[in-house]
Amino acid sequence: MIRLLAILATVITIYAFVECAITPQEKVRRFPKWAWLLIIVFTGGIFVGSIAWFIAGRPKRPGKGRGGPRKIIPPDDDPDFLRKL
């Protein structure tokens, strides 16, 4: 059982490290990318840094209601544009 937890912690830590390393700097949240990499590496045995990366550091995925792509409205149907006329 302990071996399984150790393997799971190692896999999660490696996955979080690689995902953080390939994420563009401008999309990383809360801390700079180098800080996240250090947090993930130095807390690898207990995988707290990896979980923190997944919760607070990695970019949010676009989805419904989360600022995804907006629908383009032509000017004659856009009430904000028509108010400005």
Side-chain angles (χ1 to χ4, degrees):
M1 182 68 176
I2 293 177
R3 285 185 187 170
L4 181 63
L5 289 175
I7 292 170
L8 181 65
T10 304
V11 168
I12 290 173
T13 301
I14 291 171
Y15 179 77
F17 184 84
V18 170
E19 184 180 78
C20 180
I22 64 173
T23 301
Q25 173 63 44
E26 55 275 354
K27 294 194 177 218
V28 175
R29 297 184 300 151
R30 304 276 192 257
F31 299 120
K33 184 161 71 171
W34 61 267
W36 277 116
L37 292 171
L38 289 176
I39 291 169
I40 292 168
V41 168
F42 288 130
T43 61
I46 53 176
F47 63 96
V48 172
S50 302
I51 294 172
W53 163 253
F54 292 128
I55 293 172
R58 82 193 235 195
K60 289 187 177 184
R61 304 285 186 237
K64 291 186 177 185
R66 281 216 235 161
R70 293 181 56 192
K71 182 179 175 186
I72 298 175
I73 302 172
D76 56 341
D77 291 338
D78 187 0
D80 293 330
F81 177 79
L82 293 175
R83 265 188 236 115
K84 293 176 186 176
L85 290 179

